[in-house]
Amino acid sequence: MRTSADDPVVLLDAFGQWAGTRPKHTVHHACTPFHLAFSCHVVDPRGRTLLTRRAATKGTFPATWSNACCGHPLPGETLRSAVTRRLAAELGLAPVRMGLALPDFAYRASLDGIVEHELCPVVIAEVTGSPDPDPDECDDHEWADWPAVLARATERPDSLSPWSVRQFARLDRLVPAAGGPLAWLDEHAGADGAVGLDRPLVEARTNGNGDSPFGGAGNGFGTGNGNGAFGGAGNGAGAGAFALDG
C-alpha cells in the first residue's frame, strides 16, 4: 500500500535546479540532500497565527512547535496545489486565499543527527475553519497574536523549529507592523501575491537555455534572463548559489 512516505521529493543542485527525485522516506538523514519544500503560515480572519506541534512520531524535528504546515511539492506540482493538499491532509483546513511571501527562503538545520536542507518558499494562507489535525502529523496547536509569535521567536527561539524562527524574523521585516501577516495578505493576495503559486516550482533540468523556475536561464537563482516561476526575471550575469538563511 502506497503512503506519503513513498512520495517523490524533488532534489536540487546548489543553484536550485532540478537534480532528480527520491522517495521521501529515503531523503532525511545525517547527509540530507538539498531538496524542494515549502512552509505555510496560517492566519485566521482575526489576524491570529496558527502554531502547531509536530507529532512525536515524526522522523524530523519531532515534538517541535513550528509554523502551521510544511511539505514537499510533488514533481510538476504547483505551490498552490501543494499547500492546499498538505493543509487538508495535516490540519483538515482549506485556504480561503494565499500569497507567496518569501520565494527564496533556504535553510539547513539538524536535530539528533537528522538534517533538514531545503529550498523552502514561504506562503501565507488565510483559513476560516478550525483545525482538525492528523495525529500522525500534529499533536497540538494554538492560535497566537502576531506580536506574541514574534516575542516567542525572539525570546525563546529554542521553543520553535529553527526554520520557523528564521521565517518569523524575515516576515517581521516584510509584513505591516499593524496587522501582521493578515494585513500583508490584504495588500498582496491579488496579482502580485499570486505570482509563483500557479506553475510548477521546478521542472526537469533543461540544457541550460530554458527558463528556470527561480528566475535564471539555467544558471542559478536570481541570475540570467529567464522568466521565473517566482515572478522575477533574473538580472544578474553568471552563476551563483543563493545564501542559506541563518
Side-chain angles (χ1 to χ4, degrees):
M1 179 178 177
R2 182 183 176 87
T3 69
S4 63
D6 300 311
D7 286 345
V9 170
V10 175
L11 306 183
L12 304 172
D13 66 16
F15 302 100
Q17 301 278 335
W18 173 282
T21 65
R22 287 187 191 172
K24 180 180 174 182
H25 70 272
T26 70
V27 169
H28 299 94
H29 43 71
C31 299
T32 299
F34 192 40
H35 61 276
L36 183 63
F38 70 82
S39 281
C40 181
H41 291 245
V42 167
V43 295
D44 70 3
R46 294 169 53 185
R48 298 180 302 174
T49 294
L50 180 63
L51 299 177
T52 62
R53 188 171 66 189
R54 296 165 62 84
T57 55
K58 288 184 74 70
T60 57
F61 288 84
T64 300
W65 283 92
S66 191
N67 58 289
C69 175
C70 297
H72 301 91
L74 299 172
E77 187 177 30
T78 67
L79 187 54
R80 187 188 301 277
S81 175
V83 170
T84 301
R85 172 173 58 85
R86 293 310 303 166
L87 281 177
E90 294 188 20
L91 298 169
L93 294 172
V96 175
R97 55 180 178 157
M98 67 176 76
L100 178 56
L102 301 174
D104 61 347
F105 182 85
Y107 77 99
R108 187 179 189 278
S110 64
L111 179 68
D112 297 331
I114 304 299
V115 172
E116 281 284 17
H117 190 197
E118 298 178 333
L119 174 61
C120 189
V122 176
V123 171
I124 297 172
E126 181 184 2
V127 303
T128 56
S130 298
D132 181 19
D134 176 350
D136 290 333
E137 298 287 347
C138 165
D139 62 16
D140 201 359
H141 67 277
E142 64 181 39
W143 293 97
D145 292 332
W146 182 239
V149 172
L150 294 180
R152 177 173 176 175
T154 300
E155 298 166 8
R156 295 186 292 131
D158 290 346
S159 73
L160 295 164
S161 69
W163 63 86
S164 68
V165 170
R166 299 169 199 174
Q167 290 168 8
F168 289 138
R170 283 191 58 180
L171 289 172
D172 184 34
R173 299 192 295 269
L174 177 71
V175 306
L182 183 64
W184 183 90
L185 269 182
D186 290 338
E187 296 177 3
H188 297 280
D192 55 348
V195 166
L197 291 176
D198 294 313
R199 61 174 285 190
L201 293 176
V202 176
E203 298 170 351
R205 183 187 297 275
T206 70
N207 62 5
N209 297 317
D211 288 343
S212 162
F214 302 112
N219 64 351
F221 187 97
T223 64
N225 298 310
N227 292 321
F230 294 152
N235 57 7
F242 45 89
L244 301 183
D245 279 77

